[in-house]
Amino acid sequence: MSGKIHPASIDAEAAAWVARLQGERTNGIERGLHAWLEADPAHCAAFERATEIWTMLPGAVQCMDAERSMHARAPEGPARRSLTRRSALALAASVLVAFGIGTIWMSLAPEQGYATAVGEQKVAVLEDGSRIALNTNSRVDIEFTPGTRTIRLDHGEAMFEVAHNAARPFIVTAGDKQVRALGTVFLVRREGDLVTVTLIDGKVSVTELSPRTGTAAKASAILAPGERFTASGARQPVIDTESAEVATAWRRGQAIFRDTPMVEAVAELNRYGGAKLEVTDPRLAALPISGVFATNETRDFAEAMAALHGLHVRKEGETLQIVP
């Protein structure tokens, strides 16, 4: 796969799988783990490390025995499922702390949806072995059936690494666009009626949905790796190219700009929280910006622009204004 995932994210996922395997091992969990291990050699190495750490954790066996006893006494239903999930999360957290990456959020099982706050990112491993990474201020709703795997991106941005299953299509809807994939890595971003689909690996088809029925109306495009599909309202969709490095930079806490107008660079960085940036001068707004910047350090960006282009940074309340 072309989209390189941060090692800490892989370690977090491995910890989640180890914790999940301490509970009831269903066929779905076994298939999901197998698909995850097959997806990347780095997954096998991380899983071995997580398993070794788990066996060395003080009181691990006693902890699991106690959790199983509590689970057995809990009545069937939502309360029991909640107890199982809390136990698994606690176990995963203990492995993550031993890894030294306890600040990474990790989900263990598909729910009705996942969401992130401004400046937050999350990674979820689904029951089929697929992964969803959510960028800042994003939400997805999930519906898995025996025949389909459906995700709805309500807003924001998400990266999908799809476990191959030809008999069970993986479908992402964003507004009036539907993305269908099998064994693929791609990103979908939705801001109002603006939808962007970037393919990292594999193949996806992007289909327009009927506004009356919500069903697929016509295929808009079939993307190849490195292609980006952009559509906004009734405008004609545009297909251009985007590198995996740029498209997935947010997974590394970065934003990469290549001759990007300053006003667009400022809008991108403002998505991640911190001191809000503002540029109102038309000449500065159009100034092309190139470089790699930390998404959580808007002040550094403002000061870099000032130093590079002979500008000034003026603080107005919680806003940093970039001015001539």
Side-chain angles (χ1 to χ4, degrees):
M1 292 183 181
S2 305
K4 195 156 188 174
I5 307 305
H6 195 284
S9 295
I10 295 176
D11 285 339
E13 293 167 13
W17 280 113
V18 169
R20 177 185 281 168
L21 293 174
Q22 308 311 312
E24 182 181 359
R25 297 179 69 151
T26 65
N27 289 335
I29 289 176
E30 295 286 354
R31 287 194 300 270
L33 174 60
H34 181 73
W36 185 76
L37 292 173
E38 289 278 314
D40 191 324
H43 295 178
C44 296
F47 184 76
E48 289 177 3
R49 290 196 303 272
T51 301
E52 183 177 356
I53 288 174
W54 168 251
T55 60
M56 296 189 310
L57 285 174
V61 175
Q62 292 91 329
C63 174
M64 275 309 306
D65 287 343
E67 297 291 354
R68 290 191 180 108
S69 176
M70 291 173 63
H71 179 268
R73 294 197 301 271
E76 293 286 350
R80 183 166 179 169
R81 290 192 295 271
S82 177
L83 173 62
T84 301
R85 178 172 170 75
R86 288 198 305 270
S87 301
L89 284 171
L91 295 170
S94 65
V95 180
L96 286 172
V97 169
F99 263 129
I101 53 174
T103 58
I104 288 183
W105 185 95
M106 194 68 223
S107 173
L108 299 173
E111 297 180 338
Q112 290 184 344
Y114 299 105
T116 54
V118 173
E120 183 183 22
Q121 293 182 3
K122 291 182 179 180
V123 176
V125 180
L126 305 183
E127 65 178 10
D128 66 332
S130 297
R131 294 187 290 181
I132 303 176
L134 265 65
N135 200 358
T136 176
N137 190 25
S138 303
R139 178 174 177 81
V140 294
D141 295 314
I142 299 171
E143 183 180 356
F144 273 25
T145 69
T148 60
R149 297 168 289 173
T150 303
I151 313 291
R152 184 173 69 87
L153 178 63
D154 183 72
H155 62 273
E157 183 175 21
M159 179 174 175
F160 303 91
E161 295 179 82
V162 181
H164 180 76
N165 186 341
R168 200 180 181 200
F170 193 99
I171 298 170
V172 178
T173 62
D176 63 351
K177 299 296 184 288
Q178 183 183 87
V179 186
R180 189 181 183 99
L182 288 171
T184 302
V185 182
F186 63 101
L187 297 96
V188 182
R189 179 167 170 174
R190 181 186 181 189
E191 296 176 282
D193 63 359
L194 176 64
V195 175
T196 304
V197 180
T198 306
L199 181 61
I200 305 299
D201 185 63
K203 181 184 289 186
V204 298
S205 66
V206 184
T207 305
E208 188 173 336
L209 300 177
S210 167
R212 289 193 305 107
T213 64
T215 57
K218 61 178 181 179
S220 298
I222 296 178
L223 302 184
E227 289 187 329
R228 176 177 59 187
F229 171 97
T230 303
S232 180
R235 298 177 189 172
Q236 186 69 20
V238 174
I239 296 178
D240 59 6
T241 59
E242 183 64 282
S243 72
E245 180 189 17
V246 173
T248 63
W250 57 269
R251 304 247 4 227
R252 304 183 296 276
Q254 298 174 335
I256 300 177
F257 303 124
R258 295 175 177 170
D259 291 328
T260 305
M262 184 184 290
V263 66
E264 294 182 14
V266 163
E268 178 65 20
L269 292 174
N270 280 340
R271 297 173 62 209
Y272 296 89
K276 184 180 178 180
L277 297 172
E278 186 177 86
V279 54
T280 57
D281 183 283
R283 183 181 62 85
L284 299 186
L287 193 67
I289 303 301
S290 297
V292 181
F293 301 90
T295 54
N296 63 345
E297 296 292 347
T298 53
R299 181 179 293 277
D300 287 353
F301 174 86
E303 292 176 351
M305 294 304 98
L308 286 171
H309 301 287
L311 306 176
H312 299 87
V313 179
R314 185 169 62 203
K315 193 171 189 299
E316 290 288 341
E318 297 300 316
T319 299
L320 299 177
Q321 297 178 336
I322 304 174
V323 296

